[in-house]
Amino acid sequence: MDHGGHGMHMDLPPFTLGRGLAYSSGDPFFLIGCVLLLALYGYAVVRLHRRGDRWPVGRTAAFATGVLTVGVTMCTRLNDYGMVMFSVHMVQHMILSMLSPILLLLGAPVTLALRALPAAGRGRTGPRELLVKLLHSRYLRVVTHPAFTIPLFVASLYALYFSPLFDFLMRSEAGHLAMMVHFLAVGLLFFWPIMGVDPGPHRPGYVMRMLELFAGMPFHAFFGIAVMMASEPLVTTFKHPPASLGIDALGDQTAAGGIAWAFSEIPSVIVLVALLFQWYTSEQRQARRKDRAADRDGDAELVAYNAYLASLEARGRG
């Protein structure tokens, strides 16, 4: 059976985790992208170490794990099963839009690039200068603003699956590839201002970041519930699954909704823990800066405050 115009034989055996995780030599786009990302990141880390700078092992591990999740999602038979099973496709969607971005952002790739790339010199423009210019551009201020990222995050669910757009994209390999890249990009844009380690145009306080996180998650949960409760197939692509899979289209769609609903909780917990940790370390750094300032000026701030209290007490006696 050919599916969606891809020209791929989709008479797959019933899905099991082992079959899904088997390597697939399908579209090489994500495989090449993953290898390239790991190579560039590794090169930058080595470059820092050679000049005597340290780079946290935890960031390297987070980034490598994030790239690995993308590779497992798109370079295994999961991608083949995702073409004919709504539930497996939803696993791909959730990983690419909510798990991989978090891990990649915790790896701080932009910060690493800024530290590893050499300066071009006065009056010249190199890769580092272009990156700095992009970080300060009006374009990036717009696409990382919550007024843009939250509606985009929500619309990527509802506008895609509750309109003919999904079926249109699944008709071609290019459309399917563009959709998967879109999932990853939307996740990066949504989570970067909230918990990204890298510098960015928008860095509100930690309470506001938590509010941004929880502003988008309920819509995600509602989407999952809506898919679970649907009484007929929502998209034509998965309406007639291959008989070899031994599944019912509506039952598989219900499973897909359950996956979307349950998956909204996992990233929320991960991001919340990361935010609380970042908040704690930020407070610790600020406390250390105040201690160093107090050592330099003899704690002038405390002396001035005590003098202020003494003056108030003197006025009260007068």
Side-chain angles (χ1 to χ4, degrees), residues 54-133:
R54 297 180 60 188
W55 183 255
V57 176
R59 290 185 179 179
T60 302
F63 188 84
T65 305
V67 174
L68 181 62
T69 60
V70 175
V72 169
T73 303
M74 295 304 301
C75 303
T76 65
R77 298 300 295 275
L78 282 177
N79 196 38
D80 294 336
Y81 279 99
M83 298 299 300
V84 291
M85 292 181 63
F86 202 170
S87 57
V88 178
H89 167 84
M90 192 59 68
V91 170
Q92 290 182 284
H93 184 164
M94 296 301 103
I95 292 175
L96 290 178
S97 65
M98 302 185 71
L99 181 58
S100 301
I102 293 171
L103 294 168
L104 293 173
L105 290 168
L106 288 175
V110 175
T111 301
L112 177 61
L114 289 173
R115 291 181 59 183
L117 289 170
R122 182 176 298 179
R124 300 176 62 188
T125 300
R128 189 180 190 279
E129 288 71 25
L130 290 174
L131 180 58
V132 172
K133 186 176 181 180

Side-chain angles (χ1 to χ4, degrees), residues 19 22 26 28 59 63 78 90 99 110 162 208-210 228 231 237 243 248 297 299 301 309 312:
R19 288 169 180 162
R59 290 185 179 179
F63 188 84
L78 282 177
M90 192 59 68
L99 181 58
V110 175
F162 296 143
M208 283 302 299
R209 296 191 203 182
M210 293 179 188
M228 289 175 65
S231 58
T237 300
D248 170 65
D297 59 20
D299 213 350
E301 185 178 347
L309 293 179
L312 291 179

Side-chain angles (χ1 to χ4, degrees), residues 174-188:
H176 175 251
L177 183 64
M179 179 168 53
M180 293 301 178
V181 172
H182 171 78
F183 292 156
L184 184 60
V186 167
L188 288 169

Side-chain angles (χ1 to χ4, degrees), residues 194-219:
I194 296 174
M195 47 70 64
V197 183
D198 291 319
H202 294 286
R203 276 296 181 268
Y206 287 97
V207 174
M208 283 302 299
R209 296 191 203 182
M210 293 179 188
L211 291 176
E212 287 179 27
L213 172 66
F214 293 119
M217 288 302 127
F219 293 99

Side-chain angles (χ1 to χ4, degrees), residues 284-305:
Q284 292 294 103
R285 285 196 299 269
Q286 188 173 354
R288 286 195 293 269
R289 283 197 296 269
K290 288 183 178 179
D291 290 341
R292 287 194 295 267
D295 292 339
R296 288 193 300 269
D297 59 20
D299 213 350
E301 185 178 347
L302 180 60
V303 172
Y305 182 66

Side-chain angles (χ1 to χ4, degrees), residues 93-94 97-98 146-162 165 182-183 186-187 189-191 212-224:
H93 184 164
M94 296 301 103
S97 65
M98 302 185 71
F148 180 86
T149 59
I150 295 176
L152 179 66
F153 186 73
V154 174
S156 293
L157 290 170
Y158 293 88
L160 181 64
Y161 294 102
F162 296 143
L165 180 60
H182 171 78
F183 292 156
V186 167
L189 287 176
F190 178 73
F191 288 111
E212 287 179 27
L213 172 66
F214 293 119
M217 288 302 127
F219 293 99
H220 206 282
F222 295 153
F223 166 78

Side-chain angles (χ1 to χ4, degrees), residues 1-3 9-15 19 81 84-85 237-249:
M1 172 182 175
D2 286 342
H3 179 77
H9 191 68
M10 283 298 171
D11 282 334
L12 298 168
F15 178 82
R19 288 169 180 162
Y81 279 99
V84 291
M85 292 181 63
T237 300
F238 301 119
K239 194 171 184 178
H240 302 290
S244 60
L245 291 173
I247 61 171
D248 170 65

